[in-house]
Amino acid sequence: NAGVTQTPKFRVLKTGQSMTLLCAQDMNHEYMYWYRQDPGMGLRLIHYSVGEGTTAKGEVPDGYNVSRLKKQNFLLGLESAAPSQTSVYFCASSPGDETQYFGPGTRLLVL
Amino acid sequence: DAKTTQPTSMDCAEGRAANLPCNHSTISGNEYVYWYRQIHSQGPQYIIHGLKNNETNEMASLIITEDRKSSTLILPHATLRDTAVYYCIVKRVDSSYKLIFGSGTRLLVRP
């Protein structure tokens, strides 16, 4: 089992560019989550999904969109990147409303 | 979900027990105490959780006071690899699945 994987590991964007972060899990988990972590702070929830085809907003959803077309994948999109979106992005999954398993993170720098 | 208060940083000697405290004085009866840790730049890792009884697993022990207003995470024989930020999180089972990460406790294990 690979667990939770994230692609890419690191990316540099210019302001206004778009990109998609991919999260994949091979544990057949129903729930998936996207968090961001800014320097010296805890993680904040961006969006989450409780099943294939469903998504919901978290604490800081503005500027992001998500899709869960397949159970094993959860995509996070930035339509027009801003420097304030420079952060480390973590994906997680869980079998239910319990323990979450996190991926290794994607470092994003927006210039 | 109830808020938690943790010391900003702690240290302990390698091989000794590390005792990490957490205050959650506004905890409700249907809220669990979860502990996660984040080793430098990696995704958070689940450690343990409990409701009101003390819990133990291969990683740690969780001691919850009788009034449930505070808890202590115990790493019985700390190693250098236990150096990390430890997050105490209180979460309702029927909440919107999100984990609310505070600033955590930065534990430094000294050789």
Side-chain angles (χ1 to χ4, degrees):
Chain A
N1 277 358
V4 179
T5 58
Q6 294 183 232
T7 308
K9 290 184 172 55
F10 178 70
R11 184 75 183 269
V12 179
L13 288 179
K14 293 182 179 179
T15 296
Q17 286 185 318
S18 64
M19 79 162 295
T20 300
L21 283 66
L22 171 63
C23 176
Q25 53 96 2
D26 60 3
M27 297 175 282
N28 201 35
H29 287 170
E30 288 293 332
Y31 304 156
M32 297 187 74
Y33 316 80
W34 275 109
Y35 293 87
R36 63 176 286 175
Q37 185 174 33
D38 299 323
M41 297 180 65
L43 281 70
R44 291 182 293 169
L45 183 65
I46 304 171
H47 285 280
Y48 64 99
S49 168
V50 300
E52 182 178 321
T54 71
T55 63
K57 294 181 179 180
E59 300 173 76
V60 289
D62 294 341
Y64 305 95
N65 56 74
V66 289
S67 64
R68 183 100 181 266
L69 299 179
K70 293 183 179 181
K71 185 177 184 179
Q72 63 268 34
N73 296 335
F74 195 27
L75 278 64
L76 178 71
L78 286 74
E79 291 187 348
S80 179
S84 60
Q85 294 178 305
T86 292
S87 191
V88 181
Y89 292 85
F90 289 102
C91 176
S93 70
S94 68
D97 186 20
E98 46 191 274
T99 304
Q100 294 185 18
Y101 298 85
F102 285 81
T106 293
R107 293 181 180 280
L108 177 64
L109 174 62
V110 183
L111 301 175
Chain B
D1 295 328
K3 286 188 174 180
T4 62
T5 304
Q6 299 178 252
T8 303
S9 63
M10 298 181 63
D11 67 77
C12 75
E14 187 178 19
R16 304 298 294 269
N19 299 286
L20 289 84
C22 180
N23 285 322
H24 31 79
S25 58
T26 60
I27 193 170
S28 299
N30 63 346
E31 290 180 317
Y32 283 75
V33 180
Y34 279 77
W35 283 84
Y36 281 76
R37 72 179 182 184
Q38 187 172 24
I39 297 171
H40 181 62
S41 299
Q42 298 179 19
Q45 176 189 24
Y46 166 80
I47 302 173
I48 198 167
H49 75 283
L51 184 62
K52 54 182 178 182
N53 297 321
N54 297 337
E55 302 288 344
T56 296
N57 63 20
E58 65 278 4
M59 290 182 67
S61 294
L62 174 61
I63 308 298
I64 303 174
T65 57
E66 194 169 339
D67 63 7
R68 302 187 69 241
K69 293 185 177 181
S70 66
S71 60
T72 301
L73 177 74
I74 301 172
L75 307 178
H77 305 286
T79 71
L80 299 179
R81 287 176 293 183
D82 291 323
T83 291
V85 177
Y86 287 77
Y87 296 99
C88 170
I89 300 167
V90 173
K91 187 173 96 62
R92 278 183 14 225
V93 174
D94 60 349
S95 71
S96 58
Y97 317 112
K98 63 185 179 185
L99 296 174
I100 300 177
F101 287 81
S103 300
T105 296
R106 187 171 299 276
L107 175 68
L108 174 64
V109 180
R110 296 177 279 103

